[in-house]
């Protein structure tokens, strides 16, 4: 039998025999452990270059409440960004329609859209956008919007669009609070 006639089973048997021989020899197991550790390090290094780097763009919306409204009702800020109002705005911003518009407008996840149904891409965007109440100790209530994406410029544009949509929906949820403005500040991490 010629060496070129060896199949994968013969090759696996040859490798198994070589490993067994190294382990049964006195210090052979140290070489096997070293070789496996080196192979693991090489695999870890290779996988770190394969995984795309993600950028997180963040915006914080803070309620700018006029002093006269605060004097009338000191809990106005908490009411504006109460859990139900926040969830209502969040639901409206992260529903299928607005996310579909974002995906198409900013060409989000182009490769995934070619091989996955739109519903799966919408679910992926939904996982990458986080809207939560910001607990930063400031007097005015705040909402934080984060989006993680491989392209930092696209991430910032998406957060800007989501922030604008959130402000629009917050005004719809609290129509009697027209004197209150939501101010935003951006962070790109």
């Amino acid at each position: 039998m010629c060496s070129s006639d060896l199949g994968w089973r013969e090759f696996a048997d040859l490798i198994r025999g070589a490993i067994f021989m190294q382990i049964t020899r006195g210090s052979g197991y140290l070489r096997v452990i070293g070789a496996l550790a080196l192979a693991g390090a090489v695999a870890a290094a290779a996988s770190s270059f394969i995984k795309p780097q993600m950028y997180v763009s963040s915006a914080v919306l803070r309620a700018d409440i006029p002093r006269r409204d605060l004097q009338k009702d000191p809990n106005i800020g908490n009411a504006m960004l109460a859990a139900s109002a926040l969830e209502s705005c969040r639901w409206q911003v992260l529903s299928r329609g607005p996310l579909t518009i974002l995906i198409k407008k900013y060409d989000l996840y182009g490769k995934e859209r070619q091989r996955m149904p739109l519903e799966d891409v919408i679910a992926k965007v939904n996982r990458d956008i986080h809207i939560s109440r910001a607990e930063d100790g400031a007097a005015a209530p705040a909402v934080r919007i984060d989006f993680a994406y491989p392209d930092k410029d696209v991430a910032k544009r998406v957060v800007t669009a989501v922030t604008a949509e959130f402000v629009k929906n917050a005004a719809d949820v609290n129509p009697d609070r027209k004197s209150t403005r939501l101010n935003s500040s951006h962070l790109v991490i």
Side-chain angles (χ1 to χ4, degrees):
M1 179 184 274
C2 183
S3 64
S4 64
D5 295 336
L6 292 176
W8 69 269
R9 290 182 185 186
E10 289 85 8
F11 179 72
D13 189 43
L14 178 70
I15 295 297
R16 184 183 57 78
I19 291 172
F20 181 74
M21 183 180 75
Q22 290 294 325
I23 290 174
T24 56
R25 286 183 49 207
S27 63
Y29 67 91
L30 291 176
R31 282 188 241 148
V32 171
I33 290 173
L36 291 175
L38 181 63
V42 168
S47 69
S48 70
F49 288 110
I50 291 172
K51 184 179 178 187
Q53 183 168 354
M54 297 296 280
Y55 296 94
V56 178
S57 179
S58 299
V60 176
L61 292 171
R62 191 166 316 283
D64 185 12
I65 304 167
R67 189 176 304 265
R68 67 179 185 282
D69 288 350
L70 279 174
Q71 289 171 348
K72 291 179 192 174
D73 183 5
N75 293 322
I76 188 173
N78 293 331
M80 280 187 59
L81 296 174
S84 61
L86 174 65
E87 194 56 35
S88 175
C89 290
R90 186 181 185 286
W91 182 81
Q92 290 174 6
V93 169
L94 298 180
S95 63
R96 187 182 195 283
L99 287 183
T100 302
I101 292 169
L102 277 177
I103 289 168
K104 290 179 180 178
K105 183 176 181 179
Y106 298 107
D107 192 30
L108 298 176
Y109 303 106
K111 292 178 184 174
E112 286 87 344
R113 282 194 342 216
Q114 292 174 359
R115 60 180 168 78
M116 292 169 41
L118 184 60
E119 291 302 319
D120 292 343
V121 177
I122 289 172
K124 185 169 180 56
V125 173
N126 224 333
R127 282 190 303 268
D128 292 339
I129 294 178
H130 300 279
I131 300 176
S132 60
R133 189 171 175 147
E135 302 294 338
D136 59 358
V143 173
R144 182 180 177 103
I145 300 171
D146 299 316
F147 179 60
Y149 195 70
D151 184 337
K152 67 180 177 181
D153 295 327
V154 172
K156 188 173 183 179
R157 288 195 301 265
V158 168
V159 166
T160 301
V162 170
T163 302
E165 187 71 19
F166 191 90
V167 169
K168 183 182 112 212
N169 288 324
D172 292 344
V173 168
N174 296 297
D176 58 330
R177 305 289 190 219
K178 296 215 185 278
S179 61
T180 301
R181 294 186 320 269
L182 291 173
N183 296 326
S184 69
S185 61
H186 282 279
L187 281 162
V188 178
I189 301 172

